[in-house]
Amino acid sequence: MKTLGQFPSAGSGQVFGGCYVSELLIPVLTEVETAFLHYKDDPAFQQELHDLLRDFAGRPTPITEVKHLSKEIGCTVILKREDLLHGGAHKTNNVLGQALLAKRMGKTALIAETGAGQHGVATAMAGALFNIPTKIFMGAKDIERQHTNVQRMKLFGSEVIAVSSGSESLKDAINDALRYWTAHSKETYYVFGTVAGPHPFPSLVAHFQRVIGDEARAQCLTQYGKLPHTVCACVGGGSNAIGIFKAFIDDTDVELVGVEPAGEGIETGKHGVALGMGRPGSLHGSYSYCLQDEDGQILEAHSISAGLDYPGVGPEHSFLKDSKRARYVSVTDDEAVAAFLMLTKKEGIIPALESSHAIAAAKKIGSSLKKDDILLINLSGRGDKDIDHVQRYLQSHTSIPSI
Ligand SMILES: *Cc1c(COP(=O)(O)O)cnc(C)c1O
């Protein structure tokens, strides 16, 4: 393996990332790395991906200045509208890039893991578009909980494989997908869902998501004549955050803030604050911050938003945290729901519960900004999928704070 997947931290001296998997997977991961390094700079590949993102997915997505929230906070709040992307979230950028890579590699089948079903649906959509047989690995418990997403995957023509090992959720779905891949790597490509997992996935997924930040940076310069003061995004595995951060990493005056799910509250232990409360350790083939007990057993994450419910985080975020290039805060389920309601009522935009975490954090991180300072928030997805969930939450939680 080359050093592309290593994120040495200036802060702690730790090297995050890597490729800690069974020997049997190394050849196919190397094959993916080689193809990725070749095609990412190949003009024909770039053109085909660009056309797909424009004509199928609807890029570029706009940026929107939200007036009510700007007035409330006292700075200029701008949303990057990934909620308007086909499929309803940023995940489409990643699956189109990887499906195209799979096609170029001559692979004739796709597999993917999914927890809540959002990455499964996105991959199933790409499978339908490219006419490639697709299998989605999903925990048996998650299949029960996420019925409509399972229906969607099947309508797209994918096979949904129930995983009944371990806790029957995302962690086990990833393990089973990796195991299946080991046995079928000749014809199969594994579409990984976020900037975690073994190298080269963290670098590869970040590459396909950086279109978010590249567009937003250019849009800020064209429409406002300057760069944002602060860029903010929610962090599950970390792909939408890395996607928007990447374009600003060398703009050292631009502050980068990631928002993790504090769930029912950090003191309750029921949260998903991997960077804020976790320790570096090994999870799904890479070394990164993750939630674990004293013996190194991985703990379950808790969040109202299924998409942030992951006990780890991508290695590049671990690097950005330790090197202090980015900082990470957290917001609770209550705060995220309050932000969901506020954005819907006051701005006419229904945000995904995941993205609502970034909205909720705006008040905390934007209060020191001046009126003309831009706070750029990545609105990673739309919230239609969350309406029933929020209604049920409101029935059992009567004291949602107002934002
Ligand atoms: C899946 C998802 C996330 C979390 O994943 P990241 O890899 O952290 O971006 C965030 N927002 C939405 C809308 C999602 O669907």
Side-chain angles (χ1 to χ4, degrees):
M1 288 275 132
K2 303 186 186 66
T3 52
L4 184 73
Q6 312 263 308
F7 299 99
S9 165
S12 65
Q14 309 250 31
V15 177
F16 297 110
C19 191
Y20 303 97
V21 293
S22 130
E23 284 290 307
L24 297 168
L25 270 179
I26 299 289
V28 68
L29 286 165
T30 306
E31 187 193 352
V32 172
E33 181 195 40
T34 306
F36 167 61
L37 291 176
H38 173 74
Y39 285 112
K40 81 181 175 59
D41 298 323
D42 174 60
F45 181 89
Q46 287 171 340
Q47 187 64 48
E48 192 171 350
L49 182 56
H50 174 270
D51 291 352
L52 272 172
L53 288 171
R54 185 190 60 199
D55 304 334
F56 178 74
R59 299 213 76 90
T61 58
I63 54 171
T64 303
E65 185 174 332
V66 276
K67 297 281 163 52
H68 169 81
L69 191 56
S70 297
K71 203 160 155 239
E72 185 98 336
I73 297 176
C75 66
T76 304
V77 182
I78 293 175
L79 307 181
K80 177 62 173 165
R81 301 291 306 277
E82 294 303 289
D83 61 314
L84 294 177
L85 198 65
H86 177 55
H90 68 290
K91 290 194 164 68
T92 304
N93 302 319
N94 176 39
V95 296
L96 291 181
Q98 291 200 58
L100 194 59
L101 185 64
K103 201 175 102 178
R104 286 290 205 281
M105 291 172 71
K107 301 289 179 183
T108 53
L110 300 179
I111 58 168
E113 84 292 349
T114 198
Q118 290 150 231
H119 176 59
V121 170
T123 306
M125 179 178 79
L129 175 70
F130 285 90
N131 194 23
I132 304 180
T134 302
K135 287 185 183 12
I136 308 294
F137 290 79
M138 188 170 187
K141 228 188 248 168
D142 287 332
I143 288 183
E144 234 170 80
R145 287 191 287 218
Q146 307 288 344
H147 188 67
T148 44
N149 276 339
V150 174
Q151 287 302 110
R152 280 195 190 107
M153 290 179 236
K154 288 183 176 166
L155 282 170
F156 279 129
S158 285
E159 186 184 342
V160 179
I161 298 187
V163 174
S164 46
S165 54
S167 56
E168 304 187 345
S169 61
L170 176 62
K171 187 160 63 76
D172 314 291
I174 295 178
N175 288 333
D176 268 29
L178 286 170
R179 204 167 302 133
Y180 177 91
W181 201 25
T182 307
H184 300 86
S185 59
K186 199 166 162 26
E187 73 284 1
T188 306
Y189 182 93
Y190 184 0
V191 182
F192 202 79
T194 189
V195 287
H199 173 71
F201 288 122
S203 302
L204 189 154
V205 176
H207 174 80
F208 290 131
Q209 290 293 3
R210 74 166 289 158
V211 65
I212 303 171
D214 287 340
E215 278 178 15
R217 189 178 184 281
Q219 287 165 322
C220 276
L221 288 174
T222 310
Q223 296 177 37
Y224 293 85
K226 63 177 176 185
L227 292 175
H229 180 286
T230 301
V231 178
C232 166
C234 66
V235 176
S239 68
N240 87 90
I242 286 291
I244 197 159
F245 287 178
K246 271 255 178 240
F248 298 98
I249 294 220
D250 294 336
D251 303 316
T252 47
D253 289 344
V254 177
E255 187 189 28
L256 307 175
V257 184
V259 184
E260 295 192 286
E264 295 177 21
I266 290 186
E267 67 291 348
T268 66
K270 294 198 156 190
H271 62 78
V273 186
L275 286 158
M277 302 292 289
R279 291 198 319 274
S282 267
L283 177 63
H284 296 135
S286 85
Y287 188 73
S288 197
Y289 277 85
C290 48
L291 295 173
Q292 48 187 310
D293 67 14
E294 284 150 27
D295 302 329
Q297 292 292 327
I298 301 300
L299 298 171
E300 247 183 89
H302 294 267
S303 169
I304 184 172
S305 65
L308 300 183
D309 212 345
Y310 182 61
V313 65
E316 195 166 4
H317 283 293
S318 298
F319 162 70
L320 291 172
K321 172 194 153 88
D322 277 12
S323 63
K324 300 197 165 59
R325 178 64 191 92
R327 69 187 174 96
Y328 295 85
V329 298
S330 64
V331 308
T332 62
D333 290 349
D334 278 1
E335 292 170 318
V337 170
F340 175 98
L341 296 172
M342 182 279 300
L343 203 75
T344 303
K345 195 162 223 164
K346 299 287 174 65
E347 310 286 0
I349 298 170
I350 305 178
L353 273 174
E354 291 83 3
S355 327
S356 300
H357 284 73
I359 304 288
K363 214 171 182 177
K364 299 185 191 181
I365 61 185
S367 55
S368 61
L369 273 59
K370 293 197 261 321
K371 189 164 173 291
D372 290 336
D373 287 342
I374 295 172
L375 170 58
L376 173 66
I377 303 175
N378 196 16
L379 194 71
S380 53
R382 63 172 171 250
D384 307 53
K385 66 183 177 59
D386 297 316
I387 290 171
D388 289 347
H389 195 37
V390 168
Q391 289 304 340
R392 278 198 304 277
Y393 190 84
L394 290 174
Q395 280 160 14
S396 54
H397 298 73
T398 46
S399 59
I400 302 299
S402 68
I403 188 165

